[in-house]
């Protein structure tokens, strides 16, 4: 049985899994909604997206994704307010960034309307999957990978674009202890660190595991050349508060242009918080920690929004951050999530009502 919404064909699942889901105990990204968007690139162009039941996919063992890792992804969320209206947050930025990542990985760029019309249709069909509990949301994972065959080390001639969604509870990591990295790198000049390319994350797992083995939860990435500059916190952008100034590094080849990051900068500035976008040295953070000027550090990204850091390790020394009553982290997290969930005025025009 198929229907059409917004010119998008919908093939509905025969049964729904939703009654088996415990919406009060959702982990992050581990149960998946009834439907997904599927869209193929073949014969030199992107075919029309379809909404189909969530299902496993079959690939040829020589599909290039397995050998050469051509894959990019996005992460975004849908929120329901108390009237059951559904909202996205700055979705156009995700579409644009997906295509920036795709271009860098020699993946054909996707027509923006396929993304947006397809996502709208998917969210309409799976609207019941968007949770309403405080702090929860529907996590949305759009991704593209090389499905075309052959061992030749060259871009594939076929790709798949898929969007899956996962109802998720609030992503509470607790306060994390991080290790400032002195050996490994996440990205390099001229590399692919600015892209949400799958392999970037695979490359982080091993150094992160080494940090976990030493008793930390996450790695603070430093620049690949000197390891003297702080760049990102795991797969999140990083903010440092020294005295009352909030500091984050400038985006570059190596630092991903996070939507949470730039939203935090704008909100902080609108609240009169002094913000500096500039390179941050490991030395100034260590010095500030020693003389009591380092007040906060936190990661910023769609999944956790803001993830506060309790302390860090550097050259076999551990530094604890103070426990403040009022933090920029909690103020900014509340401001951004209130906009996302339609609890406050959105003077920035970021909220996107479906
Ligand atoms: C996705 C991501 C971020 C955060 O980006 P958002 O748009 O805020 O979700 C930051 N750093 C890296 C490396 C990322 O992959």
């Amino acid at each position: 049985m198929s229907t059409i919404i917004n010119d998008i064909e919908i093939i509905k699942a025969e049964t729904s899994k939703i009654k088996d889901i415990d919406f009060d105990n959702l982990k992050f990204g581990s149960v998946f909604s009834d439907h997904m968007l599927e869209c193929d690139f073949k014969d030199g162009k992107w075919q029309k997206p379809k909404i189909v039941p969530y299902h496993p996919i079959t690939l040829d063992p020589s599909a290039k994704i397995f050998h050469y890792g051509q894959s990019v992804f996005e992460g975004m969320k849908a929120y329901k307010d108390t009237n059951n209206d559904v909202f996205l947050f700055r979705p156009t930025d995700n579409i644009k960034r997906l295509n920036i990542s795709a271009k860098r990985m020699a993946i054909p760029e996707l027509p923006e309307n396929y993304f947006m019309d397809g996502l709208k249709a998917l969210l309409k069909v799976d609207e019941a999957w968007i949770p309403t509990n405080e702090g929860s949301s529907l996590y949305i994972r759009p991704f593209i990978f090389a499905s075309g065959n052959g061992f030749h080390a060259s871009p594939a001639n076929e790709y798949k674009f898929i969007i899956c969604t996962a109802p998720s509870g609030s992503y509470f990591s607790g306060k994390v202890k991080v290790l400032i990295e002195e050996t490994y790198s996440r990205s390099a000049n001229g590399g692919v660190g600015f892209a949400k390319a799958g392999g970037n994350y695979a490359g982080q797992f091993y150094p992160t595991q080494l940090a976990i083995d030493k008793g930390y939860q996450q790695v603070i990435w430093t620049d690949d050349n000197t390891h003297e500059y702080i760049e990102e916190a795991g797969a999140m952008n990083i903010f440092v508060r020294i005295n009352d100034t909030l500091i984050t590094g400038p985006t570059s080849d190596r630092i991903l242009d996070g939507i949470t990051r730039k939203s935090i900068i704008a909100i902080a500035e609108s609240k009169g918080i002094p913000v500096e976008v500039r390179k941050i040295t490991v030395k100034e953070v260590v010095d500030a920690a020693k003389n009591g000027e380092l007040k906060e550090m936190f990661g910023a990204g769609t999944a956790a929004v803001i993830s506060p850091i309790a302390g860090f390790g550097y050259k076999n020394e551990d530094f604890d951050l103070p426990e403040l009553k009022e933090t920029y982290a909690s103020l900014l997290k509340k401001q951004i999530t209130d906009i996302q969930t339609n609890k406050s005025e959105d003077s920035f025009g970021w909220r996107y009502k479906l």
Side-chain angles (χ1 to χ4, degrees), residues 97 186 196 201 232 234-237 256 258-261 300-302:
R97 189 172 62 190
R186 195 192 80 85
K196 285 189 103 75
Y201 305 84
E232 294 216 52
M236 305 179 94
N237 293 114
L256 193 123
I259 296 165
T260 317
R261 171 188 172 280
T302 296

Side-chain angles (χ1 to χ4, degrees), residues 59-77:
L59 291 171
D60 193 285
S62 77
K64 295 204 180 193
I65 175 61
F66 298 131
H67 309 277
Y68 307 121
Q70 257 188 310
S71 81
V72 295
F73 69 95
E74 271 302 320
M76 52 204 297
K77 285 174 171 176

Side-chain angles (χ1 to χ4, degrees), residues 78-88 123-124 127 130-132 339-343 351-354:
Y79 312 86
K80 238 182 215 171
D81 69 5
T82 45
N83 293 324
N84 284 330
D85 285 329
V86 176
F87 299 92
L88 296 169
L123 293 176
K124 186 119 214 109
E127 193 175 332
I130 306 170
T132 49
I339 293 175
Q340 288 167 332
T341 54
N342 197 28
K343 283 189 189 137
R351 204 158 50 218
Y352 184 99
K353 187 170 189 283
L354 286 187

Side-chain angles (χ1 to χ4, degrees), residues 10-29:
I10 312 229
I11 299 163
K12 278 215 168 185
E14 278 170 21
T15 56
S16 174
K17 298 170 292 190
I18 199 163
K19 55 191 175 309
D20 304 329
I21 309 299
D22 178 2
F23 277 84
D24 293 325
N25 288 295
L26 291 168
K27 293 208 195 80
F28 176 76

